[in-house]
Amino acid sequence: LIIIILIGFLLRYYGSLTRSYWVDEAITVMVAKNIAETGLPFLDSGNLYLGYMLNNYITGFLIFLLGESHIISRFSSVIFGTLTIFLIYYLAKEITSKRIVGLVSAFFLSIATWEIAWSTQARHYILFQFLYLLFILVLYRDYRKNGKFKFPTILKSFTIFILIMLTNGASFFLILPSILIFIMIYMRAGVINFIRIINKNKLYFYPFIFFLAILVVLYEWKTLVNSPSYFNLHPFILDYISFLNKLHPILIINFVLGIFLIKGWRKIFLFIYLLLPFILLGFLNIYPSGIPFDRYIFFLYPIFLIPSLYSIYLSSQISRISKTISLILFICVFFSLPREKEY
């Protein structure tokens, strides 16, 4: 695992040195430099820019300490992209109970060019992915161990959720339904019990911070409300499925098989935290461009790996012939990893 993580880090570090800024990165760097100088997220025009606050402030802090350069502006993405390899190892191992699936998932993530590309840019997408995987892992490990969600886990996951909201405004629509479903399915006393716990432990600042996070998201979107493409129903899910199939066809086929093979509450977790956000994002157009850019589903990509590689693992356990077939499948999946020109 250490070798895999080291390979992933070196690929990401090298990638961060080889490209000039593109337009969205330039905006991030502009805001981060102003944060480093004034402490506030201003554009050069003087307008306040509250989008993607967490990523902008992390980048601004690094620029404040070390000065602005391509590697410094992108270094947080390099680090979070590397840590994501570590997270997918543990998440895959927890969901499948197979260490080999965790290692193979980490290996694929470490060399996947789609992952490397967003881990080498001064944007928020890889931080969003890292926090989302951390959010799922915290909940999953506690439920697997205790059969329910204990209060410390709820508190940690709630904290991570707030950080996610401050990273990407779209998370408000993608993750909040998942939180509500998790409350309805798993918490014995539901929302009322959660409120009692908040009162008992005098943690009133958490709802306050949550409320502030909502205000930040609404402020970020206030200029988008009049956009004709804002929050409309549209079958973008077909575009996303087509993109994934073109990007990684063999892996997607194995994913469908893996979803059927994973049983019980593990399948419920995958539905709530993978398929439900994917479906919501596929039908609710929450971006002003009205274009289904592939980067909008990027945060879900590592989770797609788990059922796919698990299905290959299970097929290898049937017989010697199946081991050979699984090895061929593994090699095919490896060589069908997305190339940079495809996205």
Side-chain angles (χ1 to χ4, degrees):
L1 178 62
I2 294 175
I3 294 173
I4 291 172
I5 292 174
L6 181 60
I7 292 171
F9 171 77
L10 292 175
L11 289 173
R12 286 154 178 75
Y13 179 81
Y14 175 76
S16 68
L17 302 173
T18 58
R19 297 181 179 89
S20 58
Y21 294 137
W22 64 291
V23 59
D24 285 4
E25 279 189 293
I27 295 173
T28 299
V29 174
M30 178 198 307
V31 173
K33 288 171 67 176
N34 287 327
I35 289 173
E37 293 173 1
T38 67
L40 294 174
F42 284 109
L43 296 167
D44 287 351
S45 64
N47 293 327
L48 197 62
Y49 185 81
L50 293 182
Y52 323 116
M53 280 186 64
L54 182 60
N55 181 72
N56 291 341
Y57 267 90
I58 292 174
T59 306
F61 180 69
L62 290 175
I63 292 176
F64 173 77
L65 290 179
L66 304 170
E68 191 274 319
S69 68
H70 282 67
I71 181 58
I72 298 302
S73 300
R74 293 166 169 169
F75 194 66
S76 62
S77 293
V78 172
I79 294 300
F80 286 117
T82 304
L83 292 176
T84 299
I85 301 171
F86 184 74
L87 284 184
I88 197 62
Y89 163 76
Y90 275 103
L91 185 61
K93 188 178 75 168
E94 289 287 330
I95 289 179
T96 64
S97 300
K98 303 297 179 183
R99 185 172 181 268
I100 184 63
V101 178
L103 285 172
V104 174
S105 298
F107 172 70
F108 270 81
L109 208 69
S110 71
I111 63 173
T113 53
W114 200 22
E115 287 287 327
I116 294 171
W118 287 113
S119 298
T120 59
Q121 299 184 33
R123 293 294 289 161
H124 63 283
Y125 295 104
I126 193 65
L127 175 59
F128 182 23
Q129 185 184 89
F130 169 80
L131 290 172
Y132 190 72
L133 291 178
L134 183 62
F135 174 81
I136 298 172
L137 183 60
V138 166
L139 289 176
Y140 185 88
R141 292 190 70 176
D142 190 52
Y143 186 77
R144 184 182 181 188
K145 181 179 179 181
N146 302 301
K148 61 180 180 180
F149 298 119
K150 292 189 174 181
F151 177 69
T153 298
I154 296 173
L155 193 62
K156 285 187 287 187
S157 61
F158 190 61
T159 302
I160 298 169
F161 176 61
I162 291 173
L163 293 177
I164 292 174
M165 288 184 64
L166 295 175
T167 301
N168 189 332
S171 61
F172 183 82
F173 287 96
L174 294 173
I175 301 176
L176 188 56
S178 303
I179 297 291
L180 295 177
I181 289 177
F182 128 73
I183 289 173
M184 289 188 292
I185 294 178
Y186 295 113
M187 289 188 66
R188 294 179 179 177
V191 179
I192 295 176
N193 187 48
F194 185 74
I195 294 173
R196 287 175 179 171
I197 293 173
I198 290 289
N199 290 330
K200 181 180 178 181
N201 293 273
K202 302 186 185 305
L203 296 171
Y204 307 113
F205 64 93
Y206 266 89
F208 177 71
I209 294 174
F210 182 61
F211 177 72
L212 287 180
I214 292 177
L215 288 181
V216 169
V217 171
L218 292 178
Y219 184 91
E220 177 185 343
W221 286 349
K222 72 181 181 64
T223 58
L224 308 181
V225 176
N226 295 324
S227 171
S229 63
Y230 179 79
F231 202 67
N232 294 320
L233 287 174
H234 194 285
F236 282 162
I237 193 168
L238 300 179
D239 297 279
Y240 289 136
I241 292 174
S242 175
F243 167 76
L244 288 173
N245 184 58
K246 185 183 299 183
L247 184 76
H248 223 329
I250 298 176
L251 201 61
I252 298 306
I253 293 171
N254 283 310
F255 165 78
V256 176
L257 179 60
I259 283 292
F260 284 103
L261 293 174
I262 292 176
K263 299 179 180 179
W265 43 271
R266 301 175 183 185
K267 184 177 293 188
I268 294 175
F269 258 83
L270 285 174
F271 174 77
I272 291 176
Y273 298 113
L274 171 60
L275 295 182
L276 181 61
F278 184 75
I279 292 170
L280 287 172
L281 190 57
F283 283 100
L284 296 179
N285 177 19
I286 58 176
Y287 292 96
S289 64
I291 301 173
F293 289 118
D294 56 81
R295 59 180 179 268
Y296 298 156
I297 59 170
F298 169 72
F299 73 101
L300 296 172
Y301 177 65
I303 314 176
F304 274 103
L305 287 173
I306 298 173
S308 302
L309 297 174
Y310 184 58
S311 67
I312 296 177
Y313 167 79
L314 288 182
S315 64
S316 70
Q317 304 301 303
I318 299 173
S319 65
R320 291 183 178 179
I321 296 177
S322 70
K323 289 182 185 295
T324 304
I325 295 174
S326 297
L327 179 61
I328 294 172
L329 274 176
F330 179 83
I331 294 172
C332 290
V333 169
F334 176 79
F335 284 105
S336 71
L337 279 171
R339 305 297 188 265
E340 185 173 357
K341 64 180 181 180
E342 294 175 304
Y343 58 83

